[in-house]
Amino acid sequence: MAPRLQLRWIEARDLDGLYAVFSDPDVMRYWSHVAWPHRDEAAIYLESIHRGFEQGDLFQWGIALRGDDRLIGTTTLYAIDHAQGRAELGFALARDHWGRRYAREALTVLLDHAFGGLGLRRIEADVDPRNQGSLNTLEALGFRREGYLRQRWRVAGELQDSVLMGLLASEWAGPA
């Protein structure tokens, strides 16, 4: 359980919150795609979140502050491969909520679920090396840098590198 946050199902009432997060160029600066230019992309994204959940290969939850049910971000397990016991992790938080360790708190809940309830043995993350905040968050949770891929992504004409990070269930210490 996250003391200051709740992770919850994302619904149609969250479209404004989704759009606010994923249309912000600062939030999306280090992602593998650009910020959403149109609000209807939030509805399309929500459909893909629900479809991924039904198929069992994507679990994406909204992040909201306790006592205020408004969506301020998301945390995601995707590319879930139950046979291999692995998945990839992603997270995004509205800029107004950066620097408060909310991502770390939300990811703790996500990792407890991944290693506990889902029984996964490995979680991976792909991080732009310029995104020091995300690198610090993941390293504080026990992730290790395992590789560096040069020019992995082309986003809005810019080539971006990736740091590949991993965490094993046997290394997960739980809430810090």
Side-chain angles (χ1 to χ4, degrees):
M1 180 169 140
R4 301 175 298 162
L5 306 172
Q6 59 178 334
L7 270 59
R8 62 170 181 74
W9 184 249
I10 303 171
E11 302 173 347
R13 66 185 169 100
D14 297 312
L15 290 176
D16 288 339
L18 276 176
Y19 182 69
V21 171
F22 289 98
S23 67
D24 183 332
D26 288 336
V27 173
M28 302 307 292
R29 173 68 179 100
Y30 301 118
W31 279 61
S32 57
H33 61 82
V34 297
W36 296 342
H38 306 290
R39 188 183 181 287
D40 62 345
E41 293 186 57
I44 294 166
Y45 192 56
L46 182 59
E47 287 179 29
S48 71
I49 291 169
H50 290 173
R51 189 171 45 255
F53 180 79
E54 290 168 4
Q55 295 170 349
D57 60 2
L58 178 132
F59 296 125
Q60 187 161 358
W61 294 277
I63 301 170
L65 298 175
R66 287 204 176 276
D68 177 2
D69 202 35
R70 187 175 44 93
L71 186 122
I72 63 165
T74 67
T75 185
T76 311
L77 282 175
Y78 64 99
I80 299 169
D81 185 332
H82 295 283
Q84 290 299 319
R86 61 161 298 281
E88 296 181 43
L89 169 149
F91 58 99
L93 196 61
R95 185 174 12 138
D96 292 347
H97 298 282
W98 290 357
R100 298 179 187 155
R101 297 191 178 186
Y102 288 155
R104 184 173 172 179
E105 195 172 314
L107 290 173
T108 296
V109 174
L110 180 83
L111 291 166
D112 278 345
H113 180 66
F115 292 134
L118 294 178
L120 300 178
R121 66 172 172 74
R122 177 179 172 79
I123 305 295
E124 300 166 2
D126 171 351
V127 183
D128 187 306
R130 299 169 296 177
N131 190 345
Q132 195 59 52
S134 289
L135 291 169
N136 291 345
T137 295
L138 292 169
E139 287 175 335
L141 291 166
F143 278 80
R144 296 183 189 179
R145 296 179 191 217
E146 297 180 338
Y148 193 96
L149 300 177
R150 298 173 299 148
Q151 297 184 9
R152 183 163 194 221
W153 303 105
R154 180 187 303 271
V155 181
E158 177 186 41
L159 295 173
Q160 296 178 347
D161 297 347
S162 286
V163 173
L164 297 183
M165 302 183 77
L167 178 66
L168 303 178
S170 60
E171 300 166 336
W172 174 235

